[in-house]
Amino acid sequence: MPLFDHTIKELEEKIHNKEISVQDLVDASFNRIREVDGEIHAFLTLNEENARQKAKELDESEEKSGKLFGMPLGLKDNIVTKGLRTTCASQILDNFHDPLYDATVVQKLQNENGITIGKLNMDEFAMGSTNENSSYTPVRNPWNTDHVPGGSSGGSAAAVAAGEVLFSLGSDTGGSIRQPAAFCGVVGMKPTYGRVSRFGLVAFASSLDQIGPITRTVEDNARVLEVISGLDPMDATSVNLDVPKFTDALTGDVKGLKIGVPKEYLGEGVDPEVKESVMQALKVYESLGATWEEVSIPHAKYAVAAYYLLSSSEASANLARFDGVRYGVRTKNADNMIDMFKKSRSEGFGEEVKRRIMLGTFALSSGYYDAYYKKAQKVRTLIKNDFEKIFENYDVIIGPTTPTTAYKVGEKINDPLLMYVNDITTIPVNLAGAPAITVPCGFSENGLPIGLQIIGKHFDESTVYRTAHAFEQATDYHTKRPQLGGANK
């Protein structure tokens, strides 16, 4: 059995019983990367020397402590790491070899003795839904390399699905953890906004971005979120709440759970196979003693438009610092200072990033601010109110994570509007700031994974995990593996 088919808890026991060493786990990770990453392209930068040194130190240490002791992990390449290149998959940060500090989540993982294997590929500056916007190379879906892995955390999801690392961290601004996790058949959690520190996350849209874990099982996901959550004085938006022991919520008991199913999430544009998998999942919940009813998110139809105005406006402000002076690669062909700014940004940013900067700058400009940005903020409040109204009567909201399964590489890259609309089921959650998880709930006829999205009340990740875990334990979708290369032994 491949090592990474075990849970964190099982591997922890094997280490304590001296059945395996931390060096065995790290070897398994790098061997698997060498075996399959030529097909997947999940990693942009490897941390091999430091990872092996850390593994050796942990094996030699007397005290085997830490919730993630010796566990190999990957980090999305927009999470800064001291001494390890951080590019955001953009040419403008190609030379950012040492950010000089670790993000708060990286410090927390290190404090629990997790081992960073490397930095993971992504859509440039987290802008995209397919990972085709990486300025280095597109990531491929481990289930079928002709298909996209989703985005923007495509490398984070693909690396876990392919067995290259035990778990990874991604960031979710409009679905960028949940959508690729669904496309790759793994578990992805977007926590409540403010649950996890954003300090050290290169900002795309500061009021929407949230870091979260991608894993193979719900139990592993809950354990990682316990580690990375909590108040951080370096992030004014992190919330001062006690971090629950999320793993304690994994009881398997959902008797009496009230589920709301938005009719907007199962209507026009949702693939029949996806809809059928969600309906079958609801039958599983019925058999476990839960009940469900159809509900409505009436303002969901405005979510995509509001999101792209708000996120692009924030991106316009956040990406102003990447100018070849304060940050980023500087052009070698400038005649003067203004020319240097223009050419550095023109050469450094890809097409999608430029598109969103231009949209955001327009929405914030004099004469258009009220008509676009301000109106989008009002729509955001209406969507948040829609969720709160549903949660007055229901414990969780359930629907598909994505309207379709993963599409083919190149199929939609030339139609950005079509790609934007595919985020219709994930974007409202970010606008509302609520927590949501995706778990595998089936496969299409051509063998591609389908994801079930479970949305919870603010800071009630425990109920989301309990609901997800009960479904996972009642089915076997999470045990399926893509046929890619050999076994990650």
Side-chain angles (χ1 to χ4, degrees), residues 206-232:
S206 305
S207 73
L208 297 161
D209 299 340
Q210 189 63 190
I211 296 171
I214 297 175
T215 58
R216 283 188 170 178
T217 68
V218 174
E219 181 187 352
D220 281 1
N221 205 284
R223 181 182 280 228
V224 177
L225 188 61
E226 284 175 15
V227 169
I228 64 173
S229 294
L231 177 68
D232 178 14

Side-chain angles (χ1 to χ4, degrees), residues 75 119 185 247 293 343 373 381 443:
L75 298 168
K119 305 298 286 292
T247 47
E293 292 175 347
K343 285 185 175 176
Y373 182 79
T381 300
F443 292 87

